[in-house]
Amino acid sequence: MTTRSVLTGRRIRNLARHLGFFELGESVSLGLLVTAERFTAVERIGLTPAEHGLTLLPVIRGPVSRFNAEGRYLIRRDESKETAYRTVRWKWIERHGDERIEREEWKDVPYLRYPRIFVSPSSVELSLVQDDAGAFTVTAPSLPYDPQSAELLHQVNLFLELFGEVHVLGAGRVHLNAGDERRVNWQLLPHGEVPWDVLRAHLTPVFERARSQQKRAFLNERLEALAAYGPEFTVVGAGGFTGYVLFAFPQRNLFVLESALYGNATYILRGDWEHLATLTKADLLRGDLHEARVPHQATWGEQLKAYLA
């Protein structure tokens, strides 16, 4: 496989300056030729073991890969503030004569903030392809050249953030057929009812994504509550899906997608696991695919009962 150009550095801002040798609309294929020196970096993003067709959403290594996996919020400081809610653990003491009883529960506390608009993640997945000589290349989906293309600019900067370089592939590129893709965005945990303490040990990477002790406590309650409903199986996200857990109730044609990211939501999905496992994160979170979205608020448990009780 040949390369037309090699870009290095941390980020570019001008496509025309670096890829101006392409004609408007010409197909651009980006990748990274995997050498022995680069293999550690490839393994670090989750593309292991090396085999043709291995495909995943890469792990988060910086702002570009974070937007790729999680999206971002645009804060509208030009608009008036709105009321939002922060879920906190509320503790108080009840007095019954001489007896003091400590109580606690989750409360939604209002506060003012500027409106936010969610920008969906780019969800660019990377794949390993192997040529006839046995050499591997990390590739991304081809895109038409346009010097104003935000998608193409994102792909370039994603490679630069993850690997420090990106190869503009030329003639002889091995194309990956849809049937060759083997997505590894999810890891299947043991089937059947698993005790919570055993399941929790498998979910350590999920808890690591919660950014405070209180958020971890709220996450623990949500995950334990979902596990108590007895899912047939549970899968945890890998790569850029790290922090997500899917509880499967196929007998009810129901799947519950939970996230460690506080302020996100629990998604109620219908369908079959074989299909859901092939979807990008952007597809999974798209409004027309989930039946319901249960916000991470104090009433979360009660709202969930409508679907699982």
Side-chain angles (χ1 to χ4, degrees), residues 1 4 31-32 51 53 72 81 107 110 152 155 163 181 191 204 222 255 259 265 286-287 290:
M1 190 178 300
R4 295 181 63 175
L32 180 81
E51 61 180 64
R72 62 169 171 257
K81 288 186 176 182
K107 292 277 191 180
L152 183 55
Q155 274 198 16
F163 306 114
E181 290 181 343
H191 268 63
T204 298
R222 297 197 309 272
F255 298 84
S259 169
R286 216 172 54 221
H290 58 261

Side-chain angles (χ1 to χ4, degrees), residues 86-249:
R86 183 182 293 112
T87 305
V88 300
R89 195 65 171 170
W90 199 269
K91 297 183 179 182
W92 71 96
I93 300 294
E94 287 186 358
R95 300 178 185 273
H96 299 273
D98 294 334
E99 187 179 8
R100 293 162 53 92
I101 302 175
E102 185 175 292
R103 304 287 190 189
E104 60 179 319
E105 65 180 0
W106 294 104
K107 292 277 191 180
D108 294 325
V109 178
Y111 67 100
L112 292 176
R113 71 176 186 191
Y114 288 107
R116 303 189 305 171
I117 299 174
F118 182 65
V119 181
S120 296
S122 298
S123 297
V124 173
E125 295 182 326
L126 302 182
S127 301
L128 271 180
V129 297
Q130 187 176 29
D131 62 21
D132 293 338
F136 284 96
T137 303
V138 179
T139 66
S142 297
L143 292 172
Y145 175 70
D146 183 332
Q148 304 302 318
S149 172
E151 291 177 274
L152 183 55
L153 184 64
H154 172 74
Q155 274 198 16
V156 171
N157 287 327
L158 181 63
F159 271 93
L160 292 177
E161 182 174 277
L162 295 174
F163 306 114
E165 60 184 314
V166 58
H167 300 166
V168 183
L169 304 179
R173 180 199 174 186
V174 178
H175 291 276
L176 187 65
N177 298 319
D180 293 336
E181 290 181 343
R182 187 173 76 82
R183 282 185 167 82
V184 289
N185 288 319
W186 298 99
Q187 176 190 356
L188 183 65
L189 298 184
H191 268 63
E193 291 191 25
V194 180
W196 170 240
D197 57 341
V198 175
L199 180 59
R200 195 185 193 286
H202 286 288
L203 300 179
T204 298
V206 180
F207 285 101
E208 289 174 349
R209 295 299 307 280
R211 295 167 185 167
S212 72
Q213 183 175 349
Q214 188 156 125
K215 290 173 182 176
R216 282 192 292 275
F218 192 26
L219 173 64
N220 186 88
E221 287 201 16
R222 297 197 309 272
L223 293 175
E224 186 173 6
L226 285 165
Y229 283 106
E232 186 173 313
F233 62 90
T234 305
V235 292
V236 295
F241 275 81
T242 301
Y244 282 79
V245 187
L246 186 138
F247 295 86
F249 304 87

Side-chain angles (χ1 to χ4, degrees), residues 10-22:
R10 298 178 64 183
R11 181 177 292 202
I12 71 167
R13 299 184 183 278
N14 189 313
L15 284 173
R17 182 178 301 166
H18 299 277
L19 300 179
F21 49 85
F22 281 98

